[in-house]
Amino acid sequence: MNIHEYQAKALLRSYGAPVSDGRAVLKAEEAKTKAGELDGPLWVVKAQIHAGGRGKGSFKEDSAGEAGGVRLAKSVEEAAEEARKMLGRTLVTKQTGPAGKQVNRIYIEDGSGIESELYLALLIDRVTGRVSFVASTEGGTDIEEVAESTPEKILSLSVDPATGYQPFHGRRIAFALGLEGAQIKQCVALMGTLYRMFVEKDMEQLEINPLIVTDKGDLKCLDAKMGFDGNAIYRQSDIGELRDTTEEDAKELEASKYDLNYIALDGEIGCMVNGAGLAMATMDIIKLYGAEPANFLDVGGGATKEKVTEAFKIITSDANVKGILVNIFGGIMRCDVIAEGVVAAVKDVGLTVPLVVRLEGTNVEQGKEIINNSDVDVIAADDLKDGAQKIVKAVKG
Ligand code: GDP
Ligand code: MN
């Protein structure tokens, strides 16, 4: 689960990490009052969307040349004007995809004088199974680009969970970032704070890009991107309250209400599968036969008729879906129950694209009978390979 920059900065502030003063703005009318509460003489007006690259992004209905989603202003009036211009418009960045994201919130921040821009992130390194720091002198820019062209400029440092964060970690990072004097002490303290936050709040990702050295020589977090482990939100209720569902995929949101594990993808074949492993194998075999899955969907072990119907609704609401493959292994689940669910769902939702159903396992014969005896237009498949070939053929011809 991701949160907005202004929310991440409030959390950083509560832990004592250095951030600028700022105000969130949801309505254009509030912008001037909120901007007036900040000292100036520089104001930064920032679009709040769950995607980075805002500074270099552009608004959809823009004539060429207008500034992106991060703008500097020299007065309260100018800051309010920039906020008004951005609210409600669609910002496209490298990370939003071509559709972009609508800007519903603005953050107005007290502007900082910048001496240098650095990169810092904490993440869970899947190889070592540890929390890792990633630091680079090349802040403000695209870290993926740095990793590709000048990987020697990136320091990765994992923390042994048995010792936890130690000052030497902070000193190594400070050295890699070329910090001097009092900045080294600030860095050791800040890295300790960030590590503690990361662990206490069940984060998956914490990216400060840029971490800056201000014109006064102090460290400050100028941007913040935070992601939390969705499975831990039940014990992080304060974080759960920061959820902004307008930033999430509508189909994924709907699926989560019915406890369906659903991820929207870009392909043309909708998949309904039980079990995460089988769902992945199904996606793989669709690709093998030359098509692309439109989604990952695991209806789970205890799929009821209602769940199957909801899953169908979600799949068919995706305009990219040109065919559906149902691939169910009845273990604990019985194939006849699934078959009844599929037939009921098709009758309820309607079917405008080819549907291939492959059933295997407990009560498979009864299941096939239910499908064959229904007046639903289903292409039956014998096994996974057969099912994948049939749906790809039905869609691609
Ligand atoms: P992003 O483009 O979505 O990553 O947004 P950032 O918050 O990282 O801002 C993009 C860039 O705007 C930064 O790299 C800075 O160069 C600039 N910027 C942001 N805040 C300030 C500020 O307070 N003062 C100055 N001078 N520049 C800023
Ligand atoms: Mn940034």
Side-chain angles (χ1 to χ4, degrees):
M1 190 198 111
N2 297 323
I3 62 173
H4 288 292
E5 175 198 4
Y6 78 94
Q7 298 167 325
K9 282 184 170 167
L11 197 58
L12 283 165
R13 190 178 295 114
S14 75
Y15 269 79
V19 289
S20 299
D21 195 7
R23 298 287 182 277
V25 175
L26 282 86
K27 294 195 198 88
E29 307 89 85
E30 309 168 345
K32 202 170 160 190
T33 316
K34 295 278 175 77
E37 290 168 15
L38 304 173
D39 292 340
L42 185 67
W43 286 258
V44 190
V45 185
K46 311 181 82 173
Q48 299 295 290
I49 53 171
H50 287 185
R54 296 162 300 169
K56 293 199 177 107
S58 56
F59 283 89
K60 267 206 149 167
E61 48 285 329
D62 249 6
S63 52
E66 209 184 321
V70 177
R71 302 178 182 186
L72 301 180
K74 296 251 164 59
S75 68
V76 169
E77 289 72 25
E78 202 186 317
E81 178 62 14
E82 295 298 351
R84 194 191 57 75
K85 279 193 208 159
M86 281 196 260
L87 271 170
R89 296 173 71 195
T90 302
L91 180 59
V92 181
T93 80
K94 246 183 165 176
Q95 293 182 14
T96 61
K101 285 202 157 180
Q102 193 180 28
V103 178
N104 299 317
R105 306 178 192 203
I106 298 284
Y107 189 48
I108 305 183
E109 196 173 71
D110 221 349
S112 305
I114 301 176
E115 174 69 33
S116 61
E117 300 197 17
L118 312 167
Y119 179 91
L120 185 89
L122 276 95
L123 46 85
I124 295 166
D125 180 350
R126 309 275 162 198
V127 177
T128 58
R130 293 176 175 184
V131 175
S132 277
F133 284 96
V134 179
S136 174
T137 51
E138 307 305 293
T141 43
D142 212 337
I143 196 68
E144 285 82 4
E145 247 170 69
V146 182
E148 194 141 301
S149 53
T150 48
E152 69 280 3
K153 289 187 174 168
I154 298 178
L155 169 78
S156 292
L157 184 65
S158 74
V159 177
D160 188 331
T163 65
Y165 175 82
Q166 298 291 319
F168 77 84
H169 293 120
R171 284 194 294 272
R172 272 192 65 189
I173 292 164
F175 183 71
L177 293 177
L179 302 179
E180 294 167 343
Q183 294 160 5
I184 296 170
K185 225 174 143 182
Q186 287 179 13
C187 180
V188 170
L190 177 57
M191 296 309 127
T193 302
L194 297 180
Y195 182 83
R196 192 161 64 85
M197 273 182 89
F198 190 91
V199 175
E200 283 180 2
K201 294 293 173 189
D202 290 310
M203 286 187 204
E204 272 179 344
Q205 182 203 33
L206 168 56
E207 188 183 60
I208 311 287
N209 185 25
L211 170 71
I212 60 162
V213 176
T214 67
D215 52 2
K216 300 192 177 65
D218 298 316
L219 287 182
K220 190 188 269 184
C221 306
L222 207 67
D223 190 9
K225 197 172 173 188
M226 278 183 196
F228 299 84
D229 183 347
N231 294 312
I233 297 301
Y234 76 93
R235 63 179 191 187
Q236 300 288 355
S237 52
D238 55 332
I239 302 298
E241 281 167 19
L242 302 178
R243 188 168 181 185
D244 178 1
T245 50
T246 65
E247 290 283 335
E248 296 175 22
D249 182 281
K251 297 191 293 304
E252 289 181 17
L253 196 64
E254 196 58 22
S256 71
K257 287 185 199 157
Y258 294 92
D259 208 20
L260 298 162
N261 295 306
Y262 173 91
I263 307 286
L265 301 168
D266 300 328
E268 66 274 64
I269 297 185
C271 309
M272 184 159 87
V273 189
N274 67 332
L278 190 58
M280 297 220 272
T282 305
M283 291 163 59
D284 281 348
I285 203 161
I286 286 171
K287 280 173 174 273
L288 181 69
Y289 290 115
E292 293 287 327
N295 64 278
F296 169 96
L297 173 59
D298 169 16
V299 294
T304 57
K305 196 177 117 181
E306 286 70 32
K307 260 181 139 178
V308 172
T309 308
E310 283 312 318
F312 242 89
K313 278 187 189 162
I314 291 162
I315 291 174
T316 51
S317 71
D318 182 347
N320 294 326
V321 169
K322 302 284 180 285
I324 301 171
L325 174 58
V326 175
N327 183 27
I328 300 284
F329 177 77
I332 299 167
M333 202 61 226
R334 288 169 14 226
C335 288
D336 52 327
V337 173
I338 290 288
E340 275 172 4
V342 169
V343 170
V346 170
K347 284 194 172 144
D348 190 12
V349 179
L351 194 64
T352 52
V353 295
L355 168 67
V356 172
V357 176
R358 179 254 173 160
L359 296 172
E360 193 53 83
T362 312
N363 291 357
V364 63
E365 292 312 324
Q366 288 99 306
K368 282 184 177 169
E369 236 173 78
I370 289 165
I371 293 208
N372 293 337
N373 293 341
S374 75
D375 47 12
V376 171
D377 192 13
V378 174
I379 305 166
D382 295 326
D383 56 32
L384 183 52
K385 185 176 160 186
D386 187 42
Q389 284 174 332
K390 278 180 173 156
I391 191 63
V392 173
K393 186 158 179 283
V395 168
K396 300 233 161 182

